[in-house]
Every structure is written in C-alpha cells, then in structure tokens.
Amino acid sequence: MKLYAFVLGVGLLPAVGLCQKTVTPGSSDINTNYIKPEKSLYTVYYVKDNTWDKQGSLTYDIVAANNQLTLTNTYVPKDNAWTSIRTTIADAKTLRSISYASDGKETKVNLNFAETITGNYYSKKTKKEKKINLQPTRPFVDFNWTDHLISTLPLDLGYKARIPQFYYNSDSDIFVEDYTIKEVKSYSYGSPKTGKHDSWLVTLLEESTGAIYNYVIDKKDRRLWQREMSMGNGKWEITVNEELDYQPIKNRFNKEQSAQQISQGNSVIIGTAYARSSSGKKLGGLVNTAKKQYAPKGTEITLFANSAYYEEWLEVNKKIRKQKKVQEVPLDPDFWLCG
C-alpha cells in the first residue's frame, strides 16, 4: 500500500481565549449517533519525509448495550511481542465516563468514574500496586474516546472548540488537560481501496506541549480515515484505516462447492498451455498477435473450478485496472486451496 503523508507545517499556536467553546460530556455539540457499533482496523506508521516505517496495528471495537458504549482499543506491535488493551465504558448519549481498564506492556490500570475517581494502578516493572482516589475539579472526556468524540462534533469550516481530556499518569498530579480544535478544513482523502472521499481535516492542539494532531474524518459517515500525531524533528505517527468492511465482491466463495467440482471424476481435460506478451498488437482491439510462449515440458498446470465468485472477481479487477486509482481485490485465501 503506497501512502503519502500530508504533514502540515504548523508552529506553536497562541493560547485560546477565555470565550472558547468547551465540549464536555452532555454538550449539545456531541452527536453520538455518529458512533457506530463496529470493529475497525488501523495500521500505525512512523513517518519522516517519504519513509513509512510500520510499527503495528490498532483495532477499535465498539459495542452498544444497556444505554452504554464500550470501546476496546487494542494495539499490537509489528513483532507481536506484547499487546496493549484499553477498555472504556461511557454513557451512550453523553459520553460521560463510567469506567476504564488498561493492560499494557508495563502497567495495569482500573478506574471507576463518579464524583470521586477510584481504582488502582499496578506497575509490572516494580510489582507494586497503589490505590487511586482523585477529586476532579471540572468535567472531562476520557482520552480513550477522543478519536471518536471528534467525529461526533458539528464539523464545518471555522469550527473551533476546547476539549478537556482525562488521562491518568502515575508520575503527574495533572489529570485533565486541554486540547483545542484550531482549524477545520475541507480535504479529499485518497483510499487505495475505495478511491477519493470528501472529508474534514481537523487540526487539534495539545495545549500543554504544543503537539499537533491531524484527523481526516469522512464528511458523509464520519469514518476516521487517518490520524496524525507530531513527534518532533519532522517525524509523525500516522494511523491509517484499513477498511475492514471493504468487500466489492458480492458473490461469496463457496469452498465446499469448489472442492466438489475438482474432485476425481470420469472426464479427462487435454490441451496446450501457452502465454502471450501483453505488448503484442491487438487486431480489432481484441486479438493479441504476440508470439505464443509455450510452457516447458513437465510444467504443472493448476485448474480452478469456475464460479459466480470467480467471474465477478475477474470483472471487478478489470474495472479497477482501467481506473488505475485503487488496489486490485485479492482472491479469497481459500480459493488457492481448491486448485
């Protein structure tokens, strides 16, 4: 998959005025109807200049039940050496935090949100546990929901807002920090699978550090296409949506039927295998006049059973090759087992 970063040159931005709109759970700006119960997969890269270094995969799994939304965020590095899982439960209408649990490479955290935030923190390195008892002084959004919260907002040109975000850090006494939407612009996102999509490009500022986040959010269905996080020295972490729901082939591959079609029978197929160079001239645009290239004697020939699935696969990829804009659709992995 060939990707291109749209790194934006943004300097440190001025502090936000006191009149800045603040978005907290229950705000009229939040429309949780945009949050769909589904699983989505992202690939995480570190990017500098035009070099994309894959770091791992990130999965969001959202479940809606009992007037609550449960978000499970799972990160797996490319070497599969460990896994980080974060699960947050929030009110389905307001996104008010109810509970949070994380199990990462070095720590485990469990939190219950009420007037007092209680829970425990465990360090896998020191094998020590400590109780958590916090008194929040203002409303906030749990950081684990931020990526999805932004998609619920009334995004439009010129939209700006401040988002107080809660994140527990055992080494800090500050648990709620402000993130500010500095700019919203129209943007055309190019998916290697489904082509161009009219989107919003949302620029978010982490006020305490000056770090910049860029979100590419689909204008129509509010899908998060891509997220960028500045890391300094021209380096960015870029998270790209892999479109788990992408399936242009409507007919499904029937493994059992194909296996039956190629099982031993009474017929014998006799023929000659050869290929032609695609550079040959086409008579009438149809007949390739390039010289036949015969397979060497002893070459094994594999036959596949024809099916509605395979016919559609050929037709879909034929159209894709003409467009030259998106990736071709691979065959179902089971297809190769039925040759």
Side-chain angles (χ1 to χ4, degrees):
M1 178 169 59
K2 190 174 183 181
L3 302 169
Y4 298 90
F6 54 94
V7 177
L8 307 179
V10 184
L12 293 180
L13 302 175
V16 181
L18 295 177
C19 61
Q20 176 72 62
K21 175 190 293 187
T22 300
V23 175
T24 57
S27 168
S28 60
D29 278 14
I30 297 176
N31 181 359
T32 55
N33 290 327
Y34 284 124
I35 300 177
K36 300 177 178 63
E38 62 183 1
K39 179 178 287 187
S40 53
L41 173 67
Y42 295 78
T43 300
V44 181
Y45 300 88
Y46 283 171
V47 180
K48 188 170 184 179
D49 300 323
N50 287 324
T51 301
W52 291 67
D53 183 12
K54 181 179 178 179
Q55 297 300 301
S57 63
L58 175 64
T59 302
Y60 290 123
D61 193 0
I62 298 176
V63 176
N66 303 318
N67 299 316
Q68 295 178 347
L69 289 170
T70 300
L71 167 63
T72 301
N73 171 333
T74 304
Y75 175 77
V76 180
K78 61 183 179 182
D79 62 3
N80 295 309
W82 50 276
T83 301
S84 172
I85 302 176
R86 296 168 174 165
T87 300
T88 300
I89 300 176
D91 182 272
K93 292 294 184 182
T94 66
L95 284 190
R96 177 184 60 82
S97 298
I98 297 173
S99 67
Y100 169 84
S102 70
D103 188 352
K105 182 179 180 180
E106 298 180 350
T107 64
K108 291 180 69 174
V109 179
N110 288 281
L111 299 171
N112 292 299
F113 295 93
E115 290 187 10
T116 298
I117 301 174
T118 58
N120 60 282
Y121 170 90
Y122 176 73
S123 170
K124 296 181 180 180
K125 183 177 181 179
T126 64
K127 309 296 183 184
K128 293 183 179 179
E129 181 175 321
K130 70 176 182 179
K131 297 296 182 181
I132 298 172
N133 192 302
L134 306 173
Q135 298 289 336
T137 58
R138 55 184 175 132
F140 56 81
V141 175
D142 178 31
F143 83 102
N144 205 35
W145 275 106
T146 299
D147 290 354
H148 295 83
L149 167 70
I150 292 175
S151 71
T152 72
L153 302 177
L155 301 175
D156 204 345
L157 299 177
Y159 179 81
K160 295 184 179 181
R162 167 183 281 174
I163 305 170
Q165 177 179 283
F166 175 89
Y167 175 74
Y168 178 76
N169 183 343
S170 63
D171 298 323
S172 174
D173 294 327
I174 300 175
F175 304 107
V176 180
E177 297 190 18
D178 290 316
Y179 290 70
T180 302
I181 295 177
K182 301 300 297 183
E183 187 176 34
V184 178
K185 299 193 298 185
S186 287
Y187 183 80
S188 180
Y189 177 77
S191 163
K193 294 180 178 177
T194 54
K196 291 184 178 181
H197 297 267
D198 290 334
S199 304
W200 294 116
L201 173 58
V202 182
T203 298
L204 191 72
L205 168 70
E206 184 178 354
E207 293 187 17
S208 63
T209 64
I212 294 295
Y213 296 76
N214 293 314
Y215 292 83
V216 180
I217 297 173
D218 195 282
K219 286 185 177 182
K220 185 177 181 180
D221 64 7
R222 296 306 180 94
R223 177 191 304 241
L224 174 62
W225 286 113
Q226 187 161 298
R227 182 193 67 195
E228 300 184 349
M229 179 181 72
S230 60
M231 301 177 68
N233 298 318
K235 190 174 183 179
W236 293 75
E237 178 187 277
I238 299 184
T239 302
V240 181
N241 193 319
E242 295 296 347
E243 299 181 74
L244 282 180
D245 59 343
Y246 174 65
Q247 182 48 264
I249 310 297
K250 305 305 179 186
N251 285 295
R252 311 309 307 140
F253 177 66
N254 190 324
K255 181 179 178 181
E256 289 73 21
Q257 182 187 43
S258 294
Q260 184 179 11
Q261 287 175 310
I262 63 172
S263 60
Q264 188 172 358
N266 299 320
S267 300
V268 176
I269 299 175
I270 300 175
T272 303
Y274 66 86
R276 296 182 191 271
S277 170
S278 60
S279 61
K281 294 181 179 180
K282 302 290 181 69
L283 292 179
L286 297 175
V287 181
N288 187 343
T289 61
K291 186 178 179 180
K292 294 181 180 179
Q293 301 175 32
Y294 291 94
K297 191 173 183 179
T299 300
E300 290 189 6
I301 305 298
T302 301
L303 300 179
F304 294 96
N306 199 13
S307 64
Y309 164 80
Y310 185 62
E311 291 288 346
E312 186 183 359
W313 179 85
L314 290 172
E315 187 62 29
V316 167
N317 281 300
K318 181 179 178 181
K319 292 179 180 178
I320 288 176
R321 284 192 290 272
K322 287 182 178 179
Q323 294 174 353
K324 297 181 180 180
K325 294 179 180 179
V326 297
Q327 293 177 340
E328 292 187 24
V329 183
L331 284 164
D332 187 300
D334 284 337
F335 183 88
W336 302 106
L337 301 177
C338 296

